[in-house]
Amino acid sequence: MSESDTMRAVEVPEAGADFDVVEKPVPEPDADEVRISVEACGVCHSDEMTKEGVYPRIEFPRVPGHEVVGRIDAVGEDVEEWEAGERVGVGWHGGHCFTCDACRRGDFINCEHAEVTGLDFDGGYAEYTVAPHEALAAVPDELDAADAAPLLCAGITTFNALRNSDARPGDLVAVQGVGGLGHLGIQYAHAAGFEVVALSRGTEKKERALALGADHYVDTEATAAAEELQELGGASVVLATAPSAPAIESVVGGLGADGEVIAVGIPGEPVGVHAGALVGVRGSVSGWASGTARDSQDTLEFSALRDVTPEIETFDLGDAQDAYEKMLASEVRFRAVLEP
């Protein structure tokens, strides 16, 4: 249990305001929730939705953070599958209703009433947080808390997108962008047995991409990505991690037969695709959401099994504003993590 009635937390007091480090009461879990003593929380680009108040249902003040790792500190009276002391994580998917049509089909990520951690309820920029029991993933002992935190968003998004694609071991898989998402996508693609191509502007990240498991590196400033992919035989999958519409558009012509561009980085502008480039190869352009708590647990377990870890920079909870600004400016290689 907590040793104090209060805790440090980082709040967004109103839309567009700077983060505010406050002392607030330690939350009590409802009957179907657990309380988590937070050991690490990743800082994600999607936290901008909390910071700027663009999420339609958000209420202020709100504590951001949807890459939460810690230990269960208290358990609601109706929770049966979790116990105090267990290591758990909470990602973007913050719970579901179990009763809507999507939930009745087991499609929890598309629940009509799904909640988002750090948006619908307070997240992990705090010493303690509470979460619904169905939103929890077990965290393997082999993973350090700070390393595990980004896997609950950047990790699950790239891992889940790749494992749900039609690519098979030995197929050509390209990862467009070597950043917070892409550096994990390269590792997962390598561990899955794909022939991996890293696509990035310039040569600054070439050495790192190859060290992470890429078999090929394409400098998209020096050569056309689509042409290079076709020279290699055509991609079964291009995992588009950089939020740039022109970058996504530029790789469509690099698909092989039945190839797919899977967008996980979301541009602010529409992506234009020439249908003829898809028709000729039976190709497609699709998007992928992160996943549920079970998907998060699969990601964590696979990461521990194959030693996939993010490259991180850690910050004290009181430095959340600095961590957030560095993340937005792409000055962190590759993920920022708060340690309360």
Side-chain angles (χ1 to χ4, degrees):
M1 298 295 292
S2 63
E3 297 178 357
S4 170
D5 293 333
T6 63
M7 66 174 185
R8 277 198 314 162
V10 176
E11 288 185 339
V12 179
E14 60 183 7
D18 286 342
F19 293 126
D20 192 10
V21 182
V22 300
E23 286 282 332
K24 60 185 302 180
V26 174
E28 291 294 330
D30 289 339
D32 61 348
E33 297 176 332
V34 305
R35 184 170 66 206
I36 301 167
S37 175
V38 179
E39 296 175 353
C41 183
V43 178
C44 179
H45 200 282
S46 297
D47 293 339
E48 190 174 22
M49 297 178 67
T50 305
K51 181 79 161 50
E52 302 304 322
V54 297
Y55 186 69
R57 298 197 303 262
I58 194 167
E59 297 179 358
F60 292 102
R62 176 63 73 224
V63 176
H66 57 269
E67 300 177 356
V68 189
V69 173
R71 290 192 181 273
I72 294 176
D73 173 68
V75 179
E77 61 184 11
D78 292 343
V79 178
E80 299 180 354
E81 73 272 37
W82 301 103
E83 297 179 355
E86 289 186 293
R87 294 187 83 205
V88 294
V90 185
W92 175 267
H93 184 72
H96 41 269
C97 72
F98 294 97
T99 58
C100 72
D101 192 55
C103 283
R104 292 181 66 199
R105 297 181 187 276
D107 187 13
F108 299 128
I109 196 67
N110 285 311
C111 171
E112 296 172 16
H113 309 289
E115 294 189 317
V116 179
T117 310
L119 286 166
D120 286 297
F121 57 90
D122 285 345
Y125 284 27
E127 292 178 326
Y128 294 89
T129 190
V130 296
H133 69 101
E134 75 273 13
L136 304 184
V139 178
D141 291 336
E142 297 93 330
L143 292 176
D144 180 79
D147 287 336
L151 301 180
L152 292 162
C153 186
I156 181 181
T157 299
T158 52
F159 174 77
N160 220 15
L162 287 171
R163 73 166 177 170
N164 283 283
S165 74
D166 290 331
R168 295 295 179 261
D171 285 354
L172 190 72
V173 169
V175 178
Q176 174 259 324
V178 185
L181 288 164
H183 88 290
L184 286 167
I186 291 169
Q187 293 182 73
Y188 289 127
H190 172 74
F194 303 136
E195 181 180 356
V196 185
V197 186
L199 308 173
S200 187
R201 297 174 59 188
T203 58
E204 178 187 358
K205 297 178 180 178
K206 178 178 180 178
E207 184 177 336
R208 192 71 205 112
L210 295 174
L212 289 168
D215 300 292
H216 312 276
Y217 182 89
V218 175
D219 173 5
T220 58
E221 288 183 332
T223 185
E227 292 180 8
E228 289 294 315
L229 292 176
Q230 288 298 342
E231 284 289 326
L232 292 167
S236 294
V237 168
V238 180
L239 185 68
T241 72
S244 163
I248 295 173
E249 292 163 2
S250 73
V251 300
V252 174
L255 295 176
D258 300 309
E260 179 182 17
V261 176
I262 306 175
V264 293
I266 306 171
E269 64 275 18
V271 176
V273 177
H274 193 290
L278 300 176
V279 170
V281 294
R282 297 189 303 268
S284 63
V285 177
S286 65
W288 188 264
S290 56
T292 62
R294 181 63 248 190
D295 296 318
S296 288
Q297 189 164 321
D298 290 345
T299 302
L300 294 166
E301 290 171 352
F302 183 86
S303 300
L305 179 68
R306 288 292 177 258
D307 197 25
V308 175
T309 55
E311 297 189 6
I312 63 171
E313 183 177 344
T314 59
F315 297 81
D316 180 76
L317 191 62
D319 296 324
Q321 184 74 38
D322 183 42
Y324 177 80
E325 290 174 355
K326 285 186 173 181
M327 176 274 299
L328 283 184
S330 299
E331 295 176 359
V332 176
R333 288 286 175 87
F334 284 104
R335 304 293 292 190
V337 178
L338 301 177
E339 293 184 312

